[in-house]
Amino acid sequence: NMSAITSIDPNKKYGSSGVLNSEYLNSDFTIKYSINFENIDTATAAAQTVIIADTLDNVNLDLSTLQLTSFGFADTIISIPPGRKSYTTDIDLQPNLPLITRVTAYLNDSTHVLTAKYESLDPLTMKPTEDALLGFLLPNDSTGRGEGFISYSIKAKDSIATGTVINNMATIYF
């Protein structure tokens, strides 16, 4: 008998609201986005790797103004130094979990995709863990241990016309 184990992901992307009923923005307004993900409480395994791919509207958004601001998971929140379009760090989860979580985030200017990768590494080998039950994002509970996010800010282009709708959507892979 074999039983399948899996992490499960509901997710959302939040953005700044503009002003008035039409939610207008001007080119000086900094739009703040947060992409949230969760390994729901009914999941049968921790998530080992989470990848976020956010395709940005390069016609209406000024990609040169993008700044990563923060990311986190469970009870870990990391502020990213101002002005960064890319960031990589290793977070030691020991002694609670025998893991290092490597978080890498970067904007690919040619594809205009912001990618963030959270990866569970074996602290001895610094390679992906081979333990199928071990991952950085546990099934969620009332403490939020199964929740994570990445946040960034960006501005609209100066040349954007009144009434222009800015569309973009993130995809999250577990």
Side-chain angles (χ1 to χ4, degrees), residues 11-174:
N11 56 76
K12 292 190 179 198
K13 180 174 180 179
Y14 300 95
S16 300
S17 295
V19 296
L20 303 175
N21 290 338
S22 298
E23 298 189 21
Y24 287 109
L25 309 173
N26 65 32
S27 61
D28 293 333
F29 186 82
T30 300
I31 305 166
K32 297 176 183 174
Y33 286 108
S34 181
I35 302 166
N36 298 19
F37 55 90
E38 176 188 6
N39 191 13
I40 64 173
D41 60 355
T42 58
T44 56
Q48 293 183 337
T49 302
V50 174
I51 300 172
I52 299 166
D54 189 4
T55 303
L56 301 176
D57 179 348
N58 70 324
V59 172
N60 297 307
L61 295 174
D62 182 353
L63 300 185
S64 72
T65 66
L66 181 128
Q67 291 188 56
L68 298 167
T69 53
S70 62
F71 70 88
F73 56 91
D75 61 357
T76 300
I77 297 176
I78 305 292
S79 294
I80 299 172
R84 303 290 297 268
K85 283 185 175 183
S86 65
Y87 189 76
T88 299
T89 192
D90 290 345
I91 301 163
D92 191 345
L93 301 182
Q94 300 175 91
N96 297 331
L97 290 171
L99 289 174
I100 304 291
T101 301
R102 177 166 293 153
V103 180
T104 303
Y106 62 93
L107 174 65
N108 182 321
D109 288 316
S110 62
T111 63
H112 50 87
V113 174
L114 174 65
T115 301
K117 183 177 183 180
Y118 299 68
E119 187 174 22
S120 302
L121 304 177
D122 180 315
L124 299 176
T125 65
M126 293 305 285
K127 295 190 185 284
T129 182
E130 293 182 5
D131 184 338
L133 297 176
L134 192 58
F136 80 98
L137 195 66
L138 301 171
N140 208 3
D141 64 12
S142 62
T143 68
R145 72 181 190 173
E147 299 173 7
F149 74 94
I150 188 161
S151 297
Y152 66 92
S153 65
I154 194 165
K155 291 185 176 186
K157 288 185 176 177
D158 290 336
S159 60
I160 195 168
T162 299
T164 300
V165 175
I166 298 173
N167 289 310
N168 66 23
M169 183 176 82
T171 304
I172 302 172
Y173 304 93
F174 269 50

